[in-house]
Amino acid sequence: MSRLLSADFAKLKKNKFFWICMPGMFLFGIFTAVMHYIAMQQYGENEADITNILFIYALTVVFLIPAFVSLFVGTEYSDGTIRNKMIIGHTRAGIYLSDLIVCSVAGIGFCVSYIIGALLAALPLYTIDAGILEGVTKLVLCSFIMSVAFTALCILTAMLCQNKALTAVINILAACFLLVISLYVLNKLSEPEVYPGYSVMTDSGEVEVMENEPNPDYLRGTEREVYQFLNDFLPTGQAINITQRGAFSQSPGLLAAYSASIIIVSTGIGVFAFKKRDVK
């Protein structure tokens, strides 16, 4: 296993897409922090909150990870690397786990690169409240586990589909599909329980006060619990929640637990299926 990891990390160091994404995320972090600060100044806000922009990377990696995993693993198939690994005696489980670990490190690297860029630009400009550091740290750790969970799902597809182009299409479309579902779920959860009352002036000049009205689209009972579960469980839902500083999630610990379950289940299924796969 150590030899596999050593070889895969060596290949990662030479991967052009990885070295495009790393500085790209770093510069994106700087750009986001600076542009948000300028916007806050234009609106007359003297103190900008760093947490407003710190977690944007969580949604960005939703698209970077599928592309990277598809290219990284797909190249191993197209170059015959996976078949060569098996010929020299490496187990299929070891090959699968090695690719998962290396791609997971790359995904976390994208996150860290953005965070470093954003912090370097934000430290001299933004106000940082020491009281929020614990909450920020928890969300950052949740984002790392979420990225690994997303990587595990992409690895599952990439290791079972030997066509690099088809793998990329499947993974990216799946990411878009899950994101659309998560946005719909979040929109349903965001519905207000009641519509606030308002005042209107009648034709006779009298002011009529309208009372609060219940919102028929507000989710209640079991239906709300199902939507909340989907919001917390889906990696794309977690990405949106982390981007919005956990505003619509029950707790960071629950998000991490769901991500861990995705990693374990998808990896178990992937290893089992890969052992049965006819590698060409």
Side-chain angles (χ1 to χ4, degrees):
M1 185 67 176
S2 60
R3 292 170 57 194
L4 275 173
L5 287 172
S6 178
D8 285 340
F9 274 116
K11 190 176 71 169
L12 179 65
K13 293 179 181 178
K14 300 178 182 179
N15 189 279
K16 294 181 180 179
F17 187 75
F18 174 75
W19 289 113
I20 290 174
C21 291
M22 287 293 285
M25 289 295 286
F26 178 81
L27 294 175
F28 180 51
I30 295 176
F31 174 80
T32 304
V34 172
M35 294 305 296
H36 182 263
Y37 179 79
I38 293 173
M40 292 299 97
Q41 294 300 304
Q42 290 176 344
Y43 284 109
E45 297 186 17
N46 295 325
E47 295 185 356
D49 185 0
I50 191 174
T51 58
N52 288 332
I53 55 92
L54 187 59
F55 300 105
I56 291 177
Y57 67 88
L59 268 178
T60 307
V61 297
V62 165
F63 298 101
L64 282 184
I65 289 175
F68 171 77
V69 170
S70 301
L71 293 175
F72 187 84
V73 178
T75 300
E76 286 205 323
Y77 271 119
S78 61
D79 293 347
T81 305
I82 290 181
R83 187 170 183 82
N84 291 337
K85 287 178 180 178
M86 291 189 293
I87 290 174
I88 62 176
H90 293 296
T91 64
R92 294 196 179 210
I95 295 170
Y96 190 101
L97 293 176
S98 178
D99 280 338
L100 173 61
I101 291 171
V102 173
C103 290
S104 296
V105 170
I108 293 174
F110 299 152
C111 300
V112 172
S113 185
Y114 174 92
I115 292 172
I116 293 174
L119 288 177
L120 286 177
L123 286 176
L125 303 175
Y126 286 67
T127 300
I128 300 179
D129 183 2
I132 66 172
L133 290 180
E134 181 180 355
V136 168
T137 302
K138 289 180 179 179
L139 284 176
V140 169
L141 293 176
C142 282
S143 72
F144 291 169
I145 301 174
M146 179 275 297
S147 72
V148 175
F150 211 81
T151 302
L153 292 174
C154 293
I155 285 286
L156 175 61
T157 303
M159 294 298 288
L160 300 181
C161 180
Q162 301 182 35
N163 186 301
K164 180 167 59 176
L166 180 59
T167 300
V169 170
I170 292 174
N171 279 336
I172 293 174
L173 286 180
C176 294
F177 178 70
L178 290 176
L179 184 60
V180 170
I181 292 177
S182 295
L183 288 172
Y184 173 78
V185 168
L186 183 61
N187 182 62
K188 296 291 289 184
L189 290 173
S190 302
E191 288 283 350
E193 188 171 1
V194 296
Y195 292 123
Y198 56 94
S199 301
V200 295
M201 182 171 290
T202 63
D203 294 337
S204 61
E206 296 180 355
V207 176
E208 184 176 351
V209 178
M210 308 298 292
E211 297 181 354
N212 294 345
E213 295 183 5
N215 181 6
D217 294 327
Y218 181 77
L219 300 176
R220 292 176 174 83
T222 303
E223 187 177 12
R224 187 170 190 84
E225 292 177 1
V226 171
Y227 273 78
Q228 186 65 57
F229 169 76
L230 291 174
N231 181 64
D232 292 339
F233 180 78
L234 294 176
T236 46
Q238 293 187 27
I240 296 172
N241 276 304
I242 292 170
T243 300
Q244 298 183 347
R245 298 167 290 175
F248 296 94
S249 64
Q250 296 182 7
S251 71
L254 186 61
L255 297 183
Y258 283 145
S259 290
S261 66
I262 291 173
I263 295 169
I264 294 170
V265 173
S266 61
T267 301
I269 294 173
V271 170
F272 176 79
F274 184 59
K275 287 182 177 179
K276 306 293 183 180
R277 185 70 173 167
D278 179 22
V279 177
K280 299 179 180 179

